[in-house]
Amino acid sequence: MAIDVIVVGGGVIGCSIAWRLAQSGLKVTVFERGRVGCEASRAAAGMLSPQGEAQGPGPFFEFCLRSRAMYRSFAEELTEASGIDVEYKDDGTLFVVVEGEDEEAKTKWASWQLEAGLPLEHVSADDLRKLEPAVTELATRAIFLPEEHQVENRRLMDALEVAIKRTGVELIEGADVSALTFEPGRVTGVVSAGKRFDAGVVIVAAGTWSSQLLEPLGLNVKVIPARGQMIAVRRNGCPIKRVLHSSKVYIVPRNDGRILIGATVEYAGFNKAVTAGAINQLLNAAVELVPSIEDFEVEEIWCGLRPDTIDHLPIIGATGVATGVDNLVLATGHFRNGILLAPITAKFVAELTNSNRQPDALRPFGIERFENNLPEPTPAAYGFFR
Ligand SMILES: Cc1cc2nc3c(=O)[nH]c(=O)nc-3n(C[C@H](O)[C@H](O)[C@H](O)COP(=O)(O)OP(=O)(O)OC[C@H]3O[C@@H](n4cnc5c(N)ncnc54)[C@H](O)[C@@H]3O)c2cc1C
């Protein structure tokens, strides 16, 4: 049977898109050079946190809020379709302020969100102790974001794998796409292991490796790896209930008793080393926030490469305007929010593919914006730990 759509990349973005497209009746094949979700999508922390990230309103923030609002039903549908509980936990997120910290920045951040009518609550030190008794006694107050939840992203990837297969997607793992193939005005398919595979539409969702495939088109699209190092610790009986942030670290409690501690944001190329300095700083910051973590067993350390872009916004949409090739679609550059943005990206990329019309919601994220060259992102823009 002829392939309607080839998706390059079996991360959260590629698999979510493939799922939606197959549900709409298309014959979809996903090429994944490793295992489903083996890169950034399994490395992530699974926080669904647009407010925690945002310094001001704008189309990207709106896009993130819309995806957050879709998550509960996305998670339920996926759990139903796969039989795997993706552990969508709706306990909210606390941003803890510790003695001696610059409180002004937090107050400013909270103020614009409250003025914008976003759900946010100030929490006194006493109330914080009632909510999360394990938090350091040096905490002076906290800000609670009641709508910022989390999902277990590794289970999410397991569920997506089952769901896409059950919906009829052909998933080819261990299949590196070495090139896209073209004829004038259209992409015709991909090459993998020296073989050509043809399709009506090709979607590049190859995370931080996406720009390599686009080089032959001469597109000014750079997807840049931003390394994130993480640690998982464990002890019987998890002392915290919800996601906690300090200015140096976040910690994420999982149902199985693990606590994730993250993460660095480093521009170190495609280097996936885990470094002693980063692990040391992450652990120290986590123990400062929740002192009992000192006695926890370190279970795992890892890193992943977030797909960043020059303006830190995702690249989602058809390449037609820039290249004249309408049937090539990009869905990449989700940087720190790919887990959060999977439902909305999948929805609109499926709409675009089925109608061949760019949905308005995607306009801010098209490649046309790269006509003006922007500076490279720097670590200073984001800080080493976030
Ligand atoms: C430490 C860390 C913490 C994070 N925390 C969060 C969080 O809390 N919340 C959140 O929303 N996001 C978070 N993120 C970001 C999130 O993980 C990413 O934005 C998201 O996973 C990107 O998904 P993707 O499918 O685009 O990329 P990936 O998951 O990297 O998938 C791309 C896939 O394409 C495959 N591929 C690449 N090239 C080819 C090729 N030529 N042929 C075939 N296959 C190919 C790769 O093997 C890979 O599996 C975090 C990331 C990291 C690293």
Side-chain angles (χ1 to χ4, degrees):
M1 198 167 135
I3 305 172
D4 295 316
V5 183
I6 285 176
V7 178
V8 185
V12 71
I13 298 300
C15 288
S16 302
I17 292 170
W19 190 36
R20 290 300 185 219
L21 287 172
Q23 285 175 323
S24 73
L26 296 177
K27 171 84 188 107
V28 183
T29 299
V30 175
F31 284 79
E32 165 52 53
R33 74 169 163 216
R35 276 268 301 125
V36 158
C38 64
E39 296 289 352
S41 299
R42 277 186 201 269
M47 296 177 294
L48 310 171
S49 188
Q51 282 179 253
E53 302 271 294
Q55 298 306 321
F60 178 64
F61 182 52
E62 288 306 316
F63 198 63
C64 289
L65 286 181
R66 282 180 75 178
S67 203
R68 185 181 76 180
M70 294 164 74
Y71 232 97
R72 187 182 298 276
S73 64
F74 181 73
E76 282 171 3
E77 189 187 345
L78 197 47
T79 297
E80 172 82 27
S82 64
I84 295 170
D85 180 1
V86 301
E87 295 180 6
Y88 175 76
K89 273 166 55 113
D90 59 357
D91 297 304
T93 293
L94 274 165
F95 283 75
V96 176
V97 181
V98 175
E99 211 170 84
E101 269 186 5
D102 171 16
E103 299 213 4
E104 210 185 307
K106 282 252 167 54
T107 306
K108 218 169 123 194
W109 164 73
S111 301
W112 89 256
Q113 300 214 354
L114 280 174
E115 278 159 25
L118 295 160
L120 181 150
E121 294 161 25
H122 288 287
V123 177
S124 68
D126 284 349
D127 288 341
L128 173 61
R129 235 134 259 144
K130 285 180 207 141
L131 285 170
E132 294 289 354
V135 166
T136 172
E137 291 187 355
L138 297 177
T140 53
R141 64 187 176 100
I143 293 164
F144 182 51
L145 300 179
E147 299 294 324
E148 306 266 285
H149 302 318
Q150 61 147 309
V151 68
E152 215 302 19
N153 47 290
R154 293 184 181 178
R155 293 181 71 93
L156 184 84
M157 292 315 303
D158 292 343
L160 275 168
E161 178 176 0
V162 173
I164 63 174
K165 285 180 178 163
R166 286 188 180 166
T167 323
V169 171
E170 182 188 18
L171 170 65
I172 315 181
E173 292 177 303
D176 187 19
V177 168
S178 53
L180 310 181
T181 54
F182 296 94
E183 62 185 33
R186 57 188 299 269
V187 62
T188 51
V190 302
V191 178
S192 181
K195 264 179 73 182
R196 271 188 67 149
F197 298 82
D198 291 339
V201 174
V202 174
I203 299 176
V204 174
T208 199
W209 297 270
S210 299
S211 29
Q212 295 158 12
L213 289 169
L214 304 171
E215 271 162 22
L217 276 171
L219 279 175
N220 183 21
V221 173
K222 274 194 195 146
V223 186
I224 305 145
R227 182 171 67 184
Q229 302 190 44
M230 296 259 293
I231 307 165
V233 296
R234 183 195 285 277
R235 192 192 63 183
N236 274 345
C238 180
I240 58 167
K241 186 168 164 52
R242 47 184 68 73
V243 177
L244 300 177
H245 288 251
S246 72
S247 56
K248 300 178 187 162
V249 77
Y250 56 74
I251 59 183
V252 181
R254 294 290 205 225
N255 284 356
D256 64 1
R258 282 179 307 144
I259 291 182
L260 310 191
I261 300 169
T264 59
V265 181
E266 304 160 77
Y267 294 94
F270 287 89
N271 177 358
K272 281 176 62 180
V274 175
T275 62
I279 298 306
N280 180 37
Q281 288 188 51
L282 287 169
L283 284 173
N284 280 336
V287 170
E288 272 174 28
L289 181 57
V290 175
S292 56
I293 285 181
E294 193 162 43
D295 299 324
F296 281 44
E297 187 182 325
V298 174
E299 187 171 279
E300 191 185 344
I301 52 178
W302 70 92
C303 76
L305 300 179
R306 305 175 185 88
D308 194 7
T309 60
I310 280 167
D311 56 6
H312 308 296
L313 298 178
I315 304 166
I316 315 170
T319 62
V321 177
T323 63
V325 177
D326 272 329
N327 62 337
L328 175 63
V329 175
L330 308 186
T332 184
H334 290 72
F335 190 28
R336 310 181 69 223
N337 288 294
I339 306 296
L340 167 69
L341 290 172
I344 199 160
T345 303
K347 172 185 160 59
F348 285 120
V349 170
E351 244 177 71
L352 162 69
T353 309
N354 278 306
S355 68
N356 201 20
R357 279 217 321 269
Q358 184 96 325
D360 285 344
L362 294 185
R363 287 196 194 284
F365 312 116
I367 53 169
E368 306 79 63
R369 70 184 194 270
F370 295 117
E371 277 164 15
N372 302 320
N373 282 327
L374 292 162
E376 292 275 340
T378 59
Y382 274 85
F384 189 59
F385 292 99
R386 279 286 293 264

